[in-house]
Amino acid sequence: MSVSRPIPVELPPHGVAFVESVHGPRFHMAERIDPFHKIIYVLHGRIACSIKGDATPVHAPAGTVVCVAAGVGHKITDSEPATLLLLCFSRDFVRSVPGLDSLWEKLTPARPAALRPGRTWAQQFETYWRAAVVEQAGVRLGREIVIRAAAENALVALARRPAGLSSDAARRRVETVARELAATFYEPWSLERACAQADLSRRQFSKLFREVTDRSFLAELTERRLTHAAQLLRAQRHSVVGAAFSSGYGDLSHFYRLFRARFGHPPRAWLEKRPDAALPR
């Protein structure tokens, strides 16, 4: 359910809460000061986080993180209606775990910034968040331990993120994915898998992939698979089903539609137009 105002957060005795905030189109937040620390992960949309005493707001699109320390005045404004996953934790929680206080200090410099931890961390955090929400909603033995452990792991993973990601490094990773796709196009590839391997957001990956291959990810995958299927059919050693399966297609009707769009005819008709062609049955 979307909200128009910030949701109230009250920490339990163990000092950690995982919270969701889905903003409606009229979301408004006045400047506030929380008695607890929090990590703001932008799952969808885009926000601007204004920190008291800093004239320049922190702009955070989907996939980025803003860390706000307890006692710091701040205000969130939606640039696009946002869905935020929050990890809120007390000062006592940070002090109770050896080394966690110094780690948190590194994540909250004098001037906050939108951290871009990458898709690998995002997937980890989303997993920790889901697991913690399940525990928060239940009464299972040891749930506080699981919730606190999820918070610790999320903080450590965020602190261990790569120090920086240059555009050259990102492009090299996309080139590596493109080469792997060319060699293993028959595997169950998806854009999500490719983005995760490159550790980039969908937008970053798609932009760089098109620069590298001159095609979108889906267009490149489809071209690789259909070209291979056509080669198998020309060799006259595979049926249509066999060629489709060998090229990575489990849905035969989907394969037929793509093949006809690419070659102008369904597989059998396309092959029969070739001289002395005989399609295996």
Side-chain angles (χ1 to χ4, degrees):
M1 185 177 71
S2 62
V3 297
S4 58
R5 300 176 184 276
I7 57 175
V9 177
E10 185 175 343
L11 295 184
H14 59 78
V16 176
F18 287 79
V19 182
E20 175 192 31
S21 182
V22 181
H23 297 177
R26 296 184 180 180
F27 176 80
H28 173 74
M29 172 180 173
E31 183 178 292
R32 63 185 289 171
I33 298 177
D34 292 316
F36 49 79
H37 306 303
K38 63 183 177 184
I39 289 176
I40 304 169
Y41 169 56
V42 185
L43 181 64
H44 298 299
R46 179 186 294 265
I47 65 170
C49 183
S50 302
I51 305 297
K52 187 173 183 178
D54 197 327
T56 306
V58 176
H59 294 280
T64 58
V65 171
V66 178
C67 299
V68 181
V72 173
H74 63 287
K75 175 182 177 181
I76 292 175
T77 305
D78 282 0
S79 304
E80 300 171 10
T83 298
L84 309 180
L85 303 185
L86 309 179
L87 166 52
C88 307
F89 47 97
S90 67
R91 290 182 171 102
D92 287 341
F93 167 72
V94 172
R95 298 188 190 112
S96 69
V97 181
L100 202 58
D101 52 352
S102 59
L103 184 151
W104 177 244
E105 287 178 6
K106 292 178 181 178
L107 291 173
T108 50
R111 190 183 188 287
L115 307 178
R116 300 176 182 273
R119 189 57 195 158
T120 298
W121 180 87
Q123 290 176 327
Q124 289 177 327
F125 181 77
E126 290 167 16
T127 298
Y128 297 143
W129 192 89
R130 291 187 185 105
V133 167
V134 169
E135 296 294 336
Q136 286 178 167
V139 293
R140 292 194 292 180
L141 181 67
R143 70 188 187 96
E144 295 88 354
I145 298 173
V146 176
I147 293 168
R148 286 169 63 94
E152 293 173 28
N153 287 330
L155 283 163
V156 171
L158 185 59
R160 288 181 175 180
R161 74 194 188 285
L165 179 62
S166 69
S167 58
D168 286 345
R171 185 184 179 90
R172 285 196 298 271
R173 292 213 299 271
V174 171
E175 289 171 347
T176 299
V177 171
R179 287 194 296 270
E180 184 176 347
L181 179 69
T184 63
F185 55 85
Y186 48 82
E187 292 184 358
W189 276 94
S190 66
L191 181 57
E192 288 72 22
R193 169 183 167 178
C195 292
Q197 288 193 204
D199 199 13
L200 293 170
S201 68
R202 273 174 167 257
R203 181 178 297 180
Q204 287 176 296
F205 177 85
S206 297
K207 177 178 180 294
L208 288 172
F209 191 89
R210 188 177 289 276
E211 290 178 5
V212 168
T213 66
D214 291 325
R215 291 194 186 103
S216 69
F217 173 81
L218 182 58
E220 177 72 6
L221 176 61
T222 301
E223 180 64 22
R224 294 278 180 182
R225 287 178 169 177
L226 292 179
T227 298
H228 181 64
Q231 290 173 344
L232 295 180
L233 293 175
R234 285 194 195 102
Q236 302 182 24
R237 291 194 295 271
H238 293 271
S239 65
V240 173
V241 173
F245 176 79
S246 299
S247 302
Y249 291 107
D251 183 338
L252 194 60
S253 61
H254 181 54
F255 170 72
Y256 267 85
R257 287 194 300 272
L258 293 175
F259 194 96
R260 181 167 189 164
R262 171 65 176 81
F263 295 104
H265 301 279
R268 187 174 296 279
W270 172 80
L271 189 63
E272 288 173 350
K273 288 181 177 296
R274 297 176 53 81
D276 42 315
L279 186 65
R281 297 184 180 277

